[in-house]
Amino acid sequence: MRVKVLGSAAGGGFPQWNCGCANCSRFRSGVLKGEGRTQAQVAVSPSKATWLLLNASPDLRQQLLEDSEFAPTQGKRSTPISAVILTSADVDCVLGLLHLREFQPLHIYSTASVRRLLTEENTLFRTLERSDPPVCWQVLPFGQPIPVFQQASSGAEPSLFCKAVPLGGNFPDYVSDRLLRTLPEEEAVIGLELEQGGKRLFYAPSLPGRGEDWKRYTKGSDLALLDGTFWTDDEFIRVLGSGKTATQMGHLPLSGSSGLLEKLRGVRDVRRVLIHLNNTNPALDQESDASGALREAGWEVAYDGMEVQL
Ligand SMILES: [Zn+2]
């Protein structure tokens, strides 16, 4: 399978339009050595001219327009994108679905709770139902891989399988208390194991770091694209003067004795790539100590346009 990173930043992108933190300011004035980034978006291609989106970022329209592989066939309404797989109902993961609303039939895979949140509580997403056939929602079960839909016209046997991995974590703040009471917690945030021909991608752009499952799936993968939101637990509070810690927001920080790097120390034979970097993260500056520490530990940082063949 081919894996493309169309966007590598957390919500807000880098730089963020209303942020004057050291990173964003230094980027604007041209002194930070690093790349600008759109909001996290990954696409996976199991076969020629077929793509699956992992989440649907707020920057999706721009991301698709900038890559000719996502262009429609000349002379007709079409798309090589056959499906979207959602890891949570966070705004940053689902807003792009509205960019896909132009009467385009699609399959959307998610937990049952995420589907309920988007279809019962956010009526705006009903615009997706206007396509013919309407968008088809499919529930991702836990514990068993399911074949992922490919182009309906190809007639090919599905060769790509997706397994949902519960990661802990919380439902988004916008969910009403009434609905929240009825939703199983393990359906809030999931990781995805995508397997084709014995090659495995593990995708977890939000990783609360609870339990041991995520470590097992990371170690069993050829490529792990993992949560690189924050370098330190109090990063957001230090920059903004208030707010929540990384842990409270459902992100395992990268540094520290209980951070992601430490938890995966010794895992060297898996290609480990960070994605979903918040604009406050010092790892966005290639000359920072944080970037040096990542290189030393064998980690890579995803960038917009990165491509991996598995
Ligand atoms: Zn900033």
Side-chain angles (χ1 to χ4, degrees), residues 13-16 18-25 28 239 278-281:
F14 179 61
Q16 180 173 310
N18 64 347
C19 187
C21 76
N23 274 351
C24 291
S25 302
R28 287 189 192 95
V239 172
N278 196 59
N279 58 77
T280 51
N281 191 327

Side-chain angles (χ1 to χ4, degrees), residues 51-65:
W51 289 92
L52 308 159
L53 300 180
L54 308 187
N55 291 325
S57 98
D59 293 323
L60 188 58
R61 178 181 175 277
Q62 175 197 347
Q63 290 163 337
L64 296 180
L65 288 177

Side-chain angles (χ1 to χ4, degrees), residues 88-115:
S88 82
D90 279 353
V91 172
D92 300 333
C93 296
V94 304
L95 201 60
L97 289 175
L98 297 175
H99 289 305
L100 301 173
R101 73 193 179 282
E102 305 296 347
F103 301 97
Q104 181 61 52
L106 287 170
H107 284 234
I108 302 176
Y109 295 86
S110 72
T111 62
S113 294
V114 167
R115 181 182 61 185

